[in-house]
C-alpha cells in the first residue's frame, strides 16, 4: 500500500483523476470500478474536464459501480445510477451499454448479484477500482463484519451509514435499509485500488484503515492485503497518520510519482483550485509552468 498526502481536497481529487486518466490512456479498454459519494464528485468533474479539454477518451472503457440501494431504480434521483449519469456518464463519451450498475429493482436480488460477478469476470476483471470510505470504514456498503472474502451481495445498512447518508434523502426514514455491494473479495480481486478520502471527519478512520490491524469490522483495512493499492488523502484526512513523514517522502521522491508532482492546469501554485475554464475554451497555463510537462 502507498499513501499520498496532498495539500487540500482539490489537489487530492486532481491526483486521483490524473491517475485514472493515465490508466485510461495506457489502456483505452480499461475496466474501471467506480464509486459514489460526495468525495467523488470533484474527481468526476475533473475527468469531465479532461474529456472536454484534453480529449480523454472513454469510448472503449467498461465501468462497474461498487454498489446500489435496494428498492431504487436508476432513474430515482437518490440512486447511484442517477448519480453516475449526472456526474460522469452523460458528460463523457462512454457507451451506455458499457456502464454497469447493480439493479436495485431486481426481483431476485441474489441472482442479480451473481449476474454482476459473472459480468465482471466476463470483462476480464476490474483494472482500476476507485474507492471512497464511509465514516465507519466501509468500502462500498461492506458494513462491519463483512467477510474479507465476500462477493457481491445484499447488506443491511448500519445506523452509522444511515445517519451519514440520510441528509441526501431528506431524512433517515426515507433511506433504504439495504443495499447491494461488491464484496470485499470482489474489490480485492481488482488489479489496482485507489482510495480517496478528504476532510477531517475521515482522519481517524483512514488512519485505522491504513495503519491499524486488519479486521472485518472495518472493511477498508482489507486493502492492506492488496498488492497494488494507493490511498490518496488531503492534509485534513491525513492528520492522524503515525508515519506521515514517510508517506510524504514517497510522493516527493519516488520516480513513478514524478509526472504527477508538477502543478496541474486546474490548480494554483498553493494547490487550491483555480477557476474552472468554460466548456471548449482551453485554459492557458502560466508561462513556463507547462514546459516539458507530461499530459497526465
Ligand atoms: C457511501 C458509499 C461508499 C462511499 C461512502 C462515502 O456509503 N456506498 O462507497 O465511500 O458513501 O461517501 P462520502 O464521499 O460522501 O463521504
Amino acid at each position: 500500500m502507498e499513501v499520498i498526502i496532498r495539500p487540500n481536497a482539490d489537489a487530492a481529487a486532481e491526483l486521483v483523476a490524473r491517475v485514472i486518466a493515465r490508466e485510461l490512456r495506457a489502456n483505452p479498454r480499461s475496466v474501471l470500478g467506480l464509486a459514489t459519494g460526495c468525495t467523488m464528485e470533484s474527481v468526476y468533474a475533473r475527468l469531465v474536464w479532461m474529456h472536454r479539454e484534453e480529449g480523454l477518451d472513454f469510448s472503449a472503457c467498461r465501468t462497474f459501480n461498487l454498489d446500489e440501494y435496494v428498492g431504487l431504480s436508476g432513474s430515482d434521483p437518490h440512486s447511484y445510477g442517477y448519480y453516475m449519469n449526472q456526474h460522469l456518464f452523460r458528460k463523457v463519451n462512454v457507451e451506455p451499454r458499457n456502464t454497469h450498475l447493480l439493479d436495485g429493482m431486481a426481483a431476485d436480488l441474489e441472482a442479480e448479484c451473481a449476474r454482476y460477478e459473472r459480468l465482471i469476470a466476463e470483462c476480464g476483471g476490474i483494472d482500476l477500482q476507485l474507492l471512497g470510505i464511509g465514516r465507519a470504514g466501509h468500502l462500498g456498503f461492506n458494513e462491519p463484519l463483512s467477510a474479507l472474502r465476500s462477493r457481491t451481495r445484499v447488506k443491511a445498512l448500519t445506523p452509522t451509514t444511515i445517519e451519514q447518508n440520510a441528509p441526501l434523502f431528506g431524512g433517515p426514514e426515507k433511506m433504504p435499509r439495504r443495499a447491494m455491494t461488491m464484496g470485499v473479495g470482489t474489490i480485492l480481486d481488482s488489479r489496482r485500488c485507489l482510495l480517496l478520502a478528504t476532510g477531517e471527519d475521515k482522519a481517524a478512520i483512514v488512519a485505522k484503515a491504513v495503519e491499524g490491524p486488519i479486521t472485518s469490522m472495518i472493511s477498508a483495512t482489507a486493502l492492506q492485503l492488496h498488492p497494488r493499492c494507493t490511498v490518496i488523502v488531503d492534509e485534513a484526512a491525513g492528520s492522524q497518520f503515525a508515519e506521515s513523514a514517510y508517506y510524504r517522502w514517497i510522493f516527493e521522491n519516488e520516480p513513478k510519482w514524478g509526472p504527477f508532482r508538477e502543478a496541474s492546469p486546474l490548480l494554483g501554485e498553493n494547490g487550491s483550485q483555480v477557476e474552472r475554464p468554460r466548456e471548449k475554451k482551453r485554459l492557458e497555463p502560466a508561462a513556463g509552468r507547462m514546459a516539458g510537462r507530461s499530459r497526465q
Side-chain angles (χ1 to χ4, degrees):
M1 178 184 282
E2 272 179 322
V3 179
I4 307 289
I5 305 172
R6 302 300 291 136
N8 54 47
D10 285 332
E14 173 74 14
L15 179 59
V16 169
R18 293 278 161 202
V19 170
I20 297 169
R22 172 173 272 231
E23 184 92 13
L24 200 50
R25 288 193 173 106
N27 174 16
R29 281 184 49 77
S30 289
V31 178
L32 300 177
L34 298 177
T36 49
C38 305
T39 316
M40 295 304 151
E41 289 178 19
S42 52
V43 173
Y44 295 138
R46 282 169 170 77
L47 289 174
V48 169
W49 186 88
M50 288 177 205
H51 168 67
R52 290 176 179 166
E53 303 297 323
E54 299 178 347
L56 183 63
D57 182 15
F58 291 81
S59 63
C61 80
R62 283 80 47 86
T63 72
F64 285 90
N65 264 79
L66 271 174
D67 47 11
E68 183 58 282
Y69 291 106
V70 169
L72 300 192
S73 79
S75 58
D76 187 307
H78 297 115
S79 71
Y80 287 156
Y82 188 91
Y83 171 108
M84 290 310 301
N85 283 327
Q86 288 298 108
H87 293 288
L88 186 69
F89 295 158
R90 68 182 179 83
K91 296 179 173 170
V92 298
N93 64 335
V94 67
E95 290 286 344
R97 66 186 158 83
N98 288 339
T99 64
H100 304 285
L101 277 117
L102 286 149
D103 177 4
M105 297 296 284
D108 183 341
L109 297 175
E110 245 180 69
E112 172 63 4
C113 293
R115 179 194 70 89
Y116 208 61
E117 286 280 341
R118 264 197 318 273
L119 208 53
I120 293 173
E122 278 165 26
C123 285
I126 292 169
D127 292 307
L128 174 65
Q129 178 65 57
L130 180 60
L131 297 161
I133 184 168
R135 242 187 276 153
H138 67 202
L139 300 177
F141 277 125
N142 287 288
E143 302 288 42
L145 295 184
S146 286
L148 300 182
R149 298 177 67 177
S150 51
R151 311 305 301 186
T152 304
R153 69 219 183 287
V154 176
K155 281 301 283 185
L157 303 179
T158 60
T160 313
T161 299
I162 292 170
E163 189 195 319
Q164 183 184 334
N165 293 359
L168 302 168
F169 285 80
E173 67 292 343
K174 298 192 180 126
M175 247 198 87
R177 292 308 196 245
R178 302 161 83 212
M180 281 178 283
T181 179
M182 280 187 201
V184 182
T186 319
I187 293 167
L188 291 181
D189 279 352
S190 56
R191 284 181 268 280
R192 184 172 186 188
C193 286
L194 194 57
L195 184 142
L196 171 66
T198 58
E200 211 184 323
D201 61 333
K202 297 279 173 77
I205 197 65
V206 171
K208 280 187 187 165
V210 169
E211 296 177 336
I214 297 175
T215 167
S216 63
M217 286 298 288
I218 303 173
S219 60
T221 61
L223 293 173
Q224 295 173 32
L225 297 168
H226 196 281
R228 199 163 172 232
C229 173
T230 307
V231 173
I232 297 176
V233 296
D234 63 353
E235 284 288 347
S239 58
Q240 294 191 27
F241 288 133
E243 292 292 338
S244 52
Y246 174 57
Y247 310 149
R248 287 181 211 285
W249 193 92
I250 296 279
F251 185 68
E252 291 310 326
N253 295 281
E254 279 298 286
K256 72 168 179 180
W257 290 106
F260 298 99
R261 282 197 283 269
E262 316 214 3
S264 139
L266 280 179
L267 298 176
E269 297 300 338
N270 64 357
S272 62
Q273 190 163 7
V274 295
E275 200 185 328
R276 192 174 297 271
R278 264 195 244 113
E279 232 169 280
K280 294 290 168 216
K281 187 174 165 283
R282 200 171 196 88
L283 182 72
E284 289 308 329
R289 199 202 301 160
M290 286 288 278
R293 180 178 170 275
S294 115
R295 265 281 175 78
Q296 293 298 327

